[in-house]
Each structure stands twice: as structure tokens, then as C-alpha cells.
Amino acid sequence: MDDFIHDKVNGLAKFISYKISTLWLVYEDDKVVAFFALSKDSLVLTGDDIRTIGDDEKKSAALPSQDEDKFWERAKFPAVEIDYLAVCQEKRDDPEEHLGRALIAKIEELVRNDKLSATLFLTVEALDTKEYSAVGFYRECDFEFSEKGKIQNYNRMRYGERPTTQRMYKVIYNTPQEHE
């Protein structure tokens, strides 16, 4: 983890130096137990994505109805991407205190309280390899698969390239009751 953070050529340090990502470190005493990096993003939704959101009462209450054409005609929607999220093994294994889920909740809080720009979604390219997959973790945190991401991955596999990430998103927009 330390090597990746400090790698100025291929690692996170390069993105931070260009101000593409913002890094957050999580300490327990003097030990880093987790980190995450965030950046601005946009989410392109397909009709299937919009129907999925509309089928879930909790999510559809947070966004305008599908009948509000002006809202859903947008090509892109504002999002914040979780570029990287890493939690040390002992904090992942503790069922009572799952630090990863707590960090997702904290990221949502940070993004919802951002007064500089509005954000409707969290996005992530969830690692999905033979050795390790973060997809299950993000599903537990209520992330959905992006239809556009599914299509891209299908096309990659069709031409012999195994995708190593899955594009996922989560609605984080405040419901109208939360604005009052």
C-alpha cells in the first residue's frame, strides 16, 4: 500500500500531484489502517439504469420521477468517484467494526455536505480479478452495476480481453425531506 501511494510514476502520488484525486488517510493511533482517494466524475445512465433506479422506492424517492423529462434527458449526471479504497486486513475481517462500510458512509456524508458542487451519485471501478474482487463489498454497500459498464465489459470479453473492473454507482442525492 505504501509503495502504491508514493509511486510518483505510476501510483497515486502522480494523480495527487496533478490534483486529479484527493487522498484521505485513516489512522488508528500512529498506524495507517485505510486510505481512500476521491475525484470528480460524471455518470452516463442508460434507460435500463433509469428503470432500475425507478424500481427501487428508496432510490426513486431521492430523484425526480421518470416523467420529468428535462431531468432525465441529461447526457451525464454529477458524481464523485472512489478512485481507490484500501483497508488493512484486520479491519476487513472484524464483523463488528467493518471499516470499509464505515468509510463508504463517511464518503457519502462528505459528498452530501459539499457546498461547492452538487453530486447525485458515487461511482467506482470495482476491482474484479481472479485473485480478488471488490464487487461483493460494493453490492453490500448498495452500489448497482452500470449498464454502460456492462456493455463495455461484454465487448471486451467478446474480443478476448477480460475486464479487471466493474463500473458501479450508488444514488446519494438527498431526498426532498432531507432538504427541509
Side-chain angles (χ1 to χ4, degrees):
M1 180 166 61
D2 193 52
D3 291 342
F4 173 72
I5 292 172
H6 295 349
D7 184 344
K8 293 187 185 319
V9 176
N10 296 314
L12 188 55
K14 180 178 183 177
F15 293 102
I16 293 167
S17 69
Y18 286 129
K19 299 189 186 292
I20 295 171
S21 291
T22 303
L23 177 67
W24 301 72
L25 300 174
V26 180
Y27 287 90
E28 185 173 85
D29 299 319
D30 61 346
K31 178 183 174 191
V32 175
V33 294
F35 77 92
F36 60 92
L38 306 176
S39 65
K40 294 292 184 179
D41 193 16
S42 63
L43 179 65
V44 176
L45 296 177
T46 67
D48 287 340
D49 289 319
I50 294 167
R51 280 187 288 286
T52 298
I53 291 169
D55 289 344
D56 186 321
E57 282 183 38
K58 184 172 83 175
K59 292 177 190 162
S60 61
L63 295 169
S65 75
Q66 294 176 20
D67 298 330
E68 296 187 38
D69 294 334
K70 294 286 184 216
F71 180 81
W72 293 109
E73 284 176 359
R74 299 175 58 99
K76 299 180 214 173
F77 296 87
V80 166
E81 182 171 19
I82 301 171
D83 293 321
Y84 302 97
L85 173 66
V87 177
C88 68
Q89 188 66 45
E90 67 254 21
K91 294 297 182 180
R92 279 186 276 160
D93 292 340
D94 184 356
E96 297 295 314
E97 181 189 330
H98 193 284
L99 184 56
R101 283 193 289 275
L103 289 176
I104 294 292
K106 185 63 177 175
I107 292 167
E108 287 180 50
E109 179 186 330
L110 290 168
V111 172
R112 278 191 178 120
N113 293 327
D114 180 5
K115 303 296 183 211
L116 186 59
S117 63
T119 302
L120 300 177
F121 299 96
L122 279 181
T123 60
V124 67
E125 291 285 338
L127 186 64
D128 189 19
T129 65
K130 283 193 267 186
E131 296 80 26
Y132 178 80
S133 179
V135 169
F137 165 73
Y138 286 106
R139 293 288 292 159
E140 288 175 13
C141 295
D142 297 324
F143 280 76
E144 299 289 335
F145 292 105
S146 161
E147 288 302 317
K148 185 176 180 189
K150 286 182 193 176
I151 293 166
Q152 288 171 337
N153 286 343
Y154 170 78
N155 288 332
R156 283 186 198 151
M157 288 189 294
R158 189 171 152 198
Y159 295 105
E161 182 184 336
R162 187 190 186 305
T164 57
T165 63
Q166 297 285 334
R167 178 83 164 156
M168 301 178 80
Y169 69 92
K170 179 178 183 171
V171 175
I172 61 159
Y173 181 73
N174 293 332
T175 61
Q177 296 85 5
E178 292 175 17
H179 288 297
E180 296 172 0

